[in-house]
C-alpha cells in the first residue's frame, strides 16, 4: 500500500475549486441557521466567494505549467485563466439571480450553492488530465446545472427544460465515457500523458478501437459545447431555464467544455493522421457558425435567438480549435478551401500561443456580454409571464430607449458586442481569434466565419432597432429594480466597452497562456 | 485460464448493450425508459472498463467502475426528481407530449 505523497504545490491548482465548494457549504448552512425573510445576503456571499476564488486562480495563473496530483490534473495558465473567467461569470450570475429570484419569492441558499458547485465543476473540468477525473467533474458541473435549470417550479417550462437537458447531458456523458473506456482498452491508461505516449503504437495495432474512442469522445464534447449537429437541446433548454442560469450555462459551461476539449485532444491526436482532427473540428466549426447564425435569423423570441447565437459563438471558438490542430504540412499547397490550411509564408508558423490568447479573450468577451444580455432579458421578465408564450418577444424591447435610456444603452452595447462591432470586447475577441485562424492558414474557414457573423449582425441590430426606433406599447411594464441586478448590468456594460477600447494588461496576461501543459 | 470467457465476448456484449441503450434513448417515448437506457449505456462503459482491466490485470479500470457507479447514482437522484417535476406539471412522462416550446 503506497500512499502518494502530496505537497502544497499539488493542491495549488484545485485551490479555487476548494474556495468555491467551501462557499457553497456556507450557503447551504446559512439556509438552515440564518433563514430570514431578506435573503439578498446569500447572493452577496455567492458573489464574494466567486471573486475570492477568481483571485486565487489569478494568482495561480502566473505559475509555470506543470502536472499536479500525480498527473490527474494540470496547473497551467490556460486552465487557471479559464477559472478566472468562470468565477467572473459566476459572480455576475449570482448578482443577477438575487433580483430575479426575489421577484419570484424563490430565493434560497441552495440556488447559490448549486451555482458555486457548478462553477467548481467547471474549474476542475478545465484542468482535468485523466478520463475519470474529467468524467466526474463533467458530472459535477452537469448535475448542478440540471438542478438549477429545473429550480423554479412554477409553470411547465423549467421542468421541461431540465428534463431535456438532463436526458441529452447524460446521453453525451455516456458517449464520452464509452469512448474513454475504448481508449483505455487501446492504451492501458486513463491518464492523458500516458494515453498520448501509448497512442501511436495502439493506433498501429488497433486503429478501429482508437478511431471509435476518438469519435465518441468528440461527440460527447460536441454536445456539451452545443456544436451543430449536436445542438438540438440548446434552444429549448436555454429558453426554459431561469434566465440567470441560462446566462451561466451559455458562458461558463461552454467555456469549460471548450478548454477541456482542447486539453483532451492535445493528447488524443498523437499518432493519428493530422488531417483527421483538423477536418473534424473544421466541419463542426463551419456547421455551427453557419447553422447558428441562420437559425437565429427568423427568431422573434429574444431569449431563443440568443440561444442560437450561443451556438454560433461555439462555432467561432471551434474555429480557433481547428486552427490549433491545423496540419503543419511542409509542402504548402496553394489551394484555398474550406477544409485546407494554406500556409501564408510558405511554412507553417506556430500559432498555438495566439490561438490560446484568442480563445481566452473571446471567452472573456462572451462571458461579460452574455451575462449582461441575459441579465437585461431577466430584468424585463414579469412573474406573471411564466405561462405565456410571448414572454421574450421582440415587442418587449420596443421603445425601451425612451422608457429606460440607460438599460437600452447597455443592451445595445451587449448586442453590438455579440455581433462583433467595434468598439466592444466582442470585436476584439473576434479579431484575435480570426487573426489566429488566418495565421494558421485557415483562409476559407475564416472567410466563411466572417460572412456568417455578418448575417448574425442583422439579428442583433434588430433588437437595437426595436429599442430605439419603435414606440413603446401603452401597457409596457417597467423593468423591476433591484440593486444587485443594476450592479451586475453596470459592471458587465462597463467591461464590454472598456475592454473593447483598452484591453490593457489583459491581452498581455492571456499571451502567457500560450504555455499550455502538453502542447 | 483456458476455461475463462475471452475478453472479446465481454466487449461484444458491452457494445451490444451500448447500442441498445443508444437506440432506446433516440427512439423510445417513455421518459423512464429513456432514463433506463442511459443507465444501460453507462453500464456498457463500465463493463468495457472492467473487461480491459481484467485482461491487463491492472486496477485503474476497476477503480473507474466504482467511480462511475457512484456518479450514476447521483445522476439518477437528480434525474428522477426532474421526471417527477415533469409529471407533476403535466401528468404525463411521454416525451412527445413534453413539447411546449416553439421551434
Amino acid at each position: 500500500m503506497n500512499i502518494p505523497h502530496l505537497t502544497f504545490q499539488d493542491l495549488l491548482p484545485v485551490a479555487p475549486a476548494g474556495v468555491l465548494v467551501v462557499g457553497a457549504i456556507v450557503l447551504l448552512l446559512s439556509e438552515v441557521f440564518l433563514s430570514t425573510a431578506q435573503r439578498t445576503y446569500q447572493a452577496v456571499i455567492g458573489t464574494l466567494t466567486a471573486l475570492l476564488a477568481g483571485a486565487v486562480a489569478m494568482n495561480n495563473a502566473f505559475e509555470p505549467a506543470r502536472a499536479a496530483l500525480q498527473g490527474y490534473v494540470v496547473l497551467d495558465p490556460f486552465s487557471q485563466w479559464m477559472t478566472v473567467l468562470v468565477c467572473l461569470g459566476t459572480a455576475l450570475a449570482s448578482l443577477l439571480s438575487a433580483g430575479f429570484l426575489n421577484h419570484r419569492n424563490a430565493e434560497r441558499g441552495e440556488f447559490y450553492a448549486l451555482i458555486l458547485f457548478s462553477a467548481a465543476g467547471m474549474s476542475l473540468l478545465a484542468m482535468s488530465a485523466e478520463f475519470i477525473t474529467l468524467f466526474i467533474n463533467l458530472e459535477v458541473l452537469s448535475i448542478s446545472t440540471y438542478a438549477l435549470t429545473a429550480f423554479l417550479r412554477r409553470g411547465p417550462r423549467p421542468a421541461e427544460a431540465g428534463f431535456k437537458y438532463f436526458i441529452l447531458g447524460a446521453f453525451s456523458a455516456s458517449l464520452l465515457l464509452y469512448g474513454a473506456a475504448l481508449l483505455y482498452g487501446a492504451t492501458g491508461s486513463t491518464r492523458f500523458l500516458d494515453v498520448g505516449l501509448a497512442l501511436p503504437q495502439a493506433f498501429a495495432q488497433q486503429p478501429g478501437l482508437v478511431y471509435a474512442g476518438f469519435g465518441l469522445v468528440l461527440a460527447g464534447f460536441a454536445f456539451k459545447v452545443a456544436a451543430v449537429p449536436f445542438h438540438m437541446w440548446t434552444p429549448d433548454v436555454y429558453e426554459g431555464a431561469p434566465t440567470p442560469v441560462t446566462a451561466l450555462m451559455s458562458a461558463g459551461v461552454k467555456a469549460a467544455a471548450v478548454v477541456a476539449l482542447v486539453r483532451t485532444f492535445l493528447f488524443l491526436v498523437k499518432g493519428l493522421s493530422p488531417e483527421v482532427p483538423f477536418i473534424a473540428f473544421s466541419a463542426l466549426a463551419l456547421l455551427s457558425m453557419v447553422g447558428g447564425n441562420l437559425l437565429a435569423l427568423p427568431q422573434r423570441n429574444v431569449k431563443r435567438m440568443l440561444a442560437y447565437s450561443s451556438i454560433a459563438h461555439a462555432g467561432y471558438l471551434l474555429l480557433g480549435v481547428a486552427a490549433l490542430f491545423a496540419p503543419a504540412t511542409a509542402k504548402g499547397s496553394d489551394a484555398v478551401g474550406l477544409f485546407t490550411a494554406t500556409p501564408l509564408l510558405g511554412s507553417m508558423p506556430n500559432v498555438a500561443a495566439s490561438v490560446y490568447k484568442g480563445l481566452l479573450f473571446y471567452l472573456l468577451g462572451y462571458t461579460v456580454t452574455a451575462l449582461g444580455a441575459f441579465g437585461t432579458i431577466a430584468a424585463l421578465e414579469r412573474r406573471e409571464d411564466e405561462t405565456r408564450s410571448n414572454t421574450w418577444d421582440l415587442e418587449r424591447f420596443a421603445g425601451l430607449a425612451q422608457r429606460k435610456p440607460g438599460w437600452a444603452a447597455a443592451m445595445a452595447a451587449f448586442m453590438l458586442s455579440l455581433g462583433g462591432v467595434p468598439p466592444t470586447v466582442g470585436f476584439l475577441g473576434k479579431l484575435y481569434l480570426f487573426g489566429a485562424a488566418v495565421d494558421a492558414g485557415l483562409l476559407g474557414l475564416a472567410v466563411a466565419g466572417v460572412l456568417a457573423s455578418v448575417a448574425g449582425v442583422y439579428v442583433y441590430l434588430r433588437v437595437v432597432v426595436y429599442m430605439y426606433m419603435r414606440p413603446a406599447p401603452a401597457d409596457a411594464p417597467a423593468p423591476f429594480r433591484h440593486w444587485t441586478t443594476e450592479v451586475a448590468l453596470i459592471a458587465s456594460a462597463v467591461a464590454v466597452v472598456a475592454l473593447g477600447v483598452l484591453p490593457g494588461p489583459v491581452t498581455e496576461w492571456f499571451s502567457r497562456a500560450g504555455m499550455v501543459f502538453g502542447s | 485460464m483456458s476455461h475463462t470467457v475471452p475478453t472479446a465476448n465481454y466487449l461484444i456484449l458491452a457494445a451490444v448493450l451500448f447500442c441498445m441503450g443508444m437506440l432506446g434513448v433516440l427512439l423510445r417515448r417513455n421518459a423512464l425508459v429513456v432514463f433506463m437506457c442511459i443507465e444501460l449505456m453507462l453500464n456498457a462503459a463500465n463493463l468495457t472498463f472492467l473487461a480491459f482491466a481484467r485482461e491487463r490485470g491492472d486496477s485503474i479500470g476497476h477503480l473507474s467502475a466504482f467511480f462511475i457507479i457512484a456518479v450514476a447514482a447521483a445522476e439518477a437522484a437528480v434525474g428522477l426528481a426532474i421526471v417527477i417535476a415533469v409529471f407533476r406539471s403535466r401528468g404525463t412522462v411521454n416525451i412527445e407530449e413534453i413539447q411546449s416550446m416553439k421551434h
Side-chain angles (χ1 to χ4, degrees):
Chain A
M1 185 74 196
N2 52 343
I3 294 167
H5 178 67
L6 295 181
T7 60
F8 176 72
Q9 292 294 316
D10 276 318
L11 297 176
L12 213 52
V14 296
V19 172
L20 290 169
V21 169
V22 170
I25 292 171
V26 167
L27 280 167
L28 285 178
L29 290 177
S30 81
E31 192 55 38
V32 180
F33 295 112
L34 286 170
S35 53
T36 52
Q38 173 58 261
R39 283 192 171 89
T40 307
Y41 76 92
Q42 291 174 332
V44 176
I45 294 180
T47 309
L48 291 180
T49 310
L51 290 178
L52 178 64
V56 174
M58 199 156 157
N59 186 43
N60 281 349
F62 297 99
E63 297 272 327
R66 60 170 182 266
L69 293 176
Q70 301 195 312
Y72 282 76
V73 301
V74 297
L75 170 61
D76 62 8
F78 192 40
S79 58
Q80 294 298 328
W81 280 119
M82 216 300 298
T83 304
V84 174
L85 298 185
V86 161
C87 291
L88 182 69
T90 311
L92 289 174
S94 301
L95 283 179
L96 288 174
S97 309
F100 186 85
L101 294 179
N102 186 279
H103 187 62
R104 288 163 179 73
N105 288 333
E107 246 182 331
R108 293 287 178 275
E110 55 264 32
F111 185 89
Y112 302 105
L114 282 169
I115 286 188
L116 293 186
F117 279 134
S118 166
M122 291 172 204
S123 161
L124 291 172
L125 180 66
M127 64 186 72
S128 302
E130 196 255 355
F131 273 121
I132 299 303
T133 317
L134 182 88
F135 174 70
I136 293 173
N137 292 325
L138 187 71
E139 289 293 305
V140 168
L141 130 71
S142 306
I143 292 175
S144 322
T145 327
Y146 305 147
L148 283 172
T149 307
F151 190 83
L152 292 179
R153 285 185 300 180
R154 238 174 276 108
R157 275 199 213 108
E160 177 180 338
F163 177 72
K164 285 184 175 158
Y165 194 34
F166 168 72
I167 291 293
L168 281 163
F171 180 68
S172 67
S174 335
L175 291 181
L176 196 147
L177 190 67
Y178 191 60
L182 295 182
L183 288 172
Y184 165 69
T187 61
S189 178
T190 52
R191 258 187 295 188
F192 292 172
L193 268 177
D194 302 335
V195 170
L197 288 178
L199 260 183
Q201 201 205 347
F203 185 66
Q205 287 168 351
Q206 299 157 305
L209 204 56
V210 175
Y211 271 127
F214 181 88
L216 285 166
V217 172
L218 181 63
F221 271 118
F223 267 111
K224 281 288 164 206
V225 298
V228 178
F230 303 99
H231 67 289
M232 306 79 73
W233 57 275
T234 320
D236 284 355
V237 172
Y238 278 29
E239 183 183 340
T243 313
V245 176
T246 311
L248 186 68
M249 271 198 279
S250 72
V253 175
K254 186 161 296 180
V258 167
V259 173
L261 173 107
V262 169
R263 159 113 44 242
T264 310
F265 281 94
L266 275 181
F267 293 99
L268 286 200
V269 295
K270 301 208 167 125
L272 256 70
S273 141
E275 273 81 30
V276 176
F278 173 64
I279 289 183
F281 287 121
S282 303
L284 282 177
L286 181 70
L287 286 173
S288 309
M289 289 188 296
V290 175
N293 280 315
L294 287 185
L295 288 167
L297 284 181
Q299 287 300 330
R300 285 188 58 84
N301 177 338
V302 179
K303 201 173 172 189
R304 215 174 164 82
M305 180 274 276
L306 284 182
Y308 284 113
S309 130
S310 91
I311 297 173
H313 286 275
Y316 304 137
L317 290 167
L318 285 170
L319 171 70
V321 179
L324 201 57
F325 291 105
T329 41
K331 47 180 198 306
S333 61
D334 293 333
V336 176
L338 280 176
F339 299 135
T340 51
T342 317
L344 293 177
L345 302 167
S347 71
M348 211 49 145
N350 188 4
V351 292
S354 55
V355 169
Y356 293 129
K357 185 182 86 172
L359 282 177
L360 279 176
F361 202 87
Y362 200 86
L363 285 172
L364 168 69
Y366 189 66
T367 302
V368 287
T369 312
L371 261 299
F374 281 114
T376 316
I377 292 178
L380 291 173
E381 274 174 43
R382 296 276 66 83
R383 188 176 162 180
E384 51 277 13
D385 286 339
E386 268 152 12
T387 46
R388 280 192 226 151
S389 61
N390 65 343
T391 314
W392 299 287
D393 195 85
L394 272 172
E395 287 296 334
R396 186 58 59 98
F397 288 87
L400 192 66
Q402 288 108 53
R403 289 187 284 142
K404 291 269 172 192
W407 292 59
M411 188 64 175
F414 301 141
M415 288 296 126
L416 293 179
S417 175
L418 283 177
V421 180
T424 56
V425 66
F427 167 73
L428 271 190
K430 276 209 176 65
L431 186 69
Y432 290 144
L433 202 54
F434 281 74
V438 169
D439 284 343
L442 273 63
L443 299 179
L445 208 56
V447 169
V450 171
L451 289 179
S453 70
V454 169
V457 170
Y458 163 76
V459 176
Y460 306 121
L461 282 184
R462 194 166 53 176
V463 178
V464 180
V465 166
Y466 265 81
M467 288 193 300
Y468 281 89
M469 296 176 192
R470 296 284 170 99
D475 58 339
F480 70 83
R481 298 179 67 94
H482 196 276
W483 66 270
T484 53
T485 311
E486 287 172 6
V487 168
L489 288 184
I490 290 171
S492 34
V494 168
V496 163
V497 179
L499 289 173
V501 181
L502 285 170
V506 179
T507 334
E508 215 285 349
W509 290 340
F510 285 175
S511 306
R512 304 188 196 188
M515 296 179 294
V516 171
F517 186 79
S519 65
Chain B
M1 293 293 280
S2 59
H3 298 294
T4 51
V5 183
T7 308
N9 292 17
Y10 287 107
L11 295 181
I12 291 167
L13 175 65
V16 169
L17 284 177
F18 187 78
C19 292
M20 275 168 61
M22 202 158 79
L23 287 177
V25 172
L26 299 175
L27 301 176
R28 296 301 294 260
R29 292 284 154 255
N30 185 313
L32 285 174
V33 176
V34 169
F35 188 52
M36 275 155 43
C37 288
I38 286 175
E39 294 293 313
L40 206 56
M41 289 169 71
L42 285 175
N43 282 321
N46 251 342
L47 190 57
T48 312
F49 266 116
L50 289 174
F52 281 126
R54 177 172 164 276
E55 188 189 50
R56 292 170 179 277
D58 74 352
S59 56
I60 291 292
H62 296 290
L63 284 176
S64 306
F66 278 116
F67 280 111
I68 295 166
I69 291 169
V71 168
E75 198 171 55
V78 173
L80 284 176
I82 292 176
V83 173
I84 290 172
V86 169
F87 184 75
R88 281 214 182 129
S89 71
R90 316 173 172 255
T92 175
V93 289
N94 187 326
I95 286 181
E96 281 180 347
E97 290 169 41
I98 310 178
Q99 294 286 354
S100 68
M101 286 177 268
K102 271 185 292 184
H103 289 277

